[in-house]
């Protein structure tokens, strides 16, 4: 059975990505719970050059703290896009600036304290929007996507709160596993444009 915050969050499903303040969004309680997770992650992985810390898991959702290292400014078509058919996502930016592009539209930048609702079926890409680390909590419901991250990622031994100076980039084996397993988790992939 879903807890009260989770029930409210998933009933709030809408057709478009929406920006909320923490006081407006019913899922903010889940993010607050993830932020009060203590000093240890349940598991950590490097996935596509980003550090993922699994910080909460229950029957209704998982919460993952994601750390993305700074990147030079780039066009939105230079990023990896995905579409999820099984899960909804709530993002809360805790440090840095998030560039979020939706349905092939230009990216919008969001700063710390921004809550973004991403319903299933929305094509999207996320990357750091400034030359500093981007840290955000990603609440995913229903749970399950963490199993894909575990299968395609590389175990990470970096504690919560530490911002790595360089990323562990995916190997060819990691990428092959991603393309092979993503459909099993309802993920459609749109790799970066290879045009020069």
């Amino acid at each position: 059975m879903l807890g009260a915050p989770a029930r409210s969050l998933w009933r709030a499903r809408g057709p478009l990505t929406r920006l909320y303040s923490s006081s407006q969004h019913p899922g903010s309680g889940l993010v607050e719970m993830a932020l009060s997770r203590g000093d240890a992650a349940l598991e950590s992985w490097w996935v596509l050059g980003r550090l993922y810390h699994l910080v909460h898991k229950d029957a209704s959702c998982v919460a993952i703290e994601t750390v993305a290292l700074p990147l030079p400014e780039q066009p939105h078509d230079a990023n990896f896009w995905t579409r999820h058919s099984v899960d909804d996502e709530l993002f809360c930016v805790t440090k840095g600036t998030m560039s979020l592009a939706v349905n092939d539209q230009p990216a919008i930048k969001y700063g710390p304290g921004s809550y973004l609702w991403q319903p299933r079926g929305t094509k999207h890409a996320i990357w750091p929007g400034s030359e500093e680390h981007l840290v955000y909590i990603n609440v995913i419901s229903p749970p399950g996507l963490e199993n894909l991250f575990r299968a395609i990622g590389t175990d990470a031994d970096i504690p919560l709160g530490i911002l790595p100076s360089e990323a562990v980039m995916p190997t060819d084996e990691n990428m092959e596993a991603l393309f092979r397993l993503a459909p099993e988790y309802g993920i459609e992939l749109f790799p970066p444009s290879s045009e020069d």
Side-chain angles (χ1 to χ4, degrees), residues 2 10 54 56-63 86-88 139-148 185:
L2 296 178
W10 309 128
L54 180 62
H56 172 80
K57 182 175 180 177
D58 65 26
S60 65
C61 66
V62 295
V86 174
D87 52 73
D88 300 304
V139 179
I140 304 165
S141 180
L145 195 55
E146 74 281 4
N147 297 320
L148 175 62
Y185 293 89

Side-chain angles (χ1 to χ4, degrees), residues 104-142:
D104 297 316
Q105 297 299 310
I108 298 175
K109 293 184 179 187
Y110 300 95
S114 297
Y115 284 73
L116 301 142
W117 171 247
Q118 184 75 51
R120 65 189 73 183
T122 305
K123 184 179 175 184
H124 62 283
I126 296 172
W127 64 94
S130 64
E131 293 189 18
E132 62 179 320
H133 286 76
L134 164 62
V135 182
Y136 60 95
I137 301 293
N138 185 3
V139 179
I140 304 165
S141 180

Side-chain angles (χ1 to χ4, degrees), residues 1-81:
M1 180 171 156
L2 296 178
R7 275 197 308 269
S8 299
L9 171 63
W10 309 128
R11 282 191 199 140
R13 194 174 290 139
L16 302 171
T17 299
R18 292 188 53 193
L19 173 66
Y20 293 89
S21 73
S22 61
S23 61
Q24 292 174 314
H25 198 280
S28 62
L30 293 170
V31 172
E32 295 305 317
M33 182 172 49
L35 290 171
S36 65
R37 75 247 182 237
D39 295 332
L42 301 173
E43 295 180 66
S44 298
W45 316 278
W46 284 102
V47 178
L48 297 176
R50 295 180 183 180
L51 179 60
Y52 286 20
H53 294 294
L54 180 62
V55 294
H56 172 80
K57 182 175 180 177
D58 65 26
S60 65
C61 66
V62 295
I64 296 173
E65 180 181 84
T66 303
V67 180
L69 278 68
L71 297 170
E73 192 67 30
Q74 54 189 321
H76 75 282
D77 61 352
N79 292 281
F80 214 102
W81 290 67

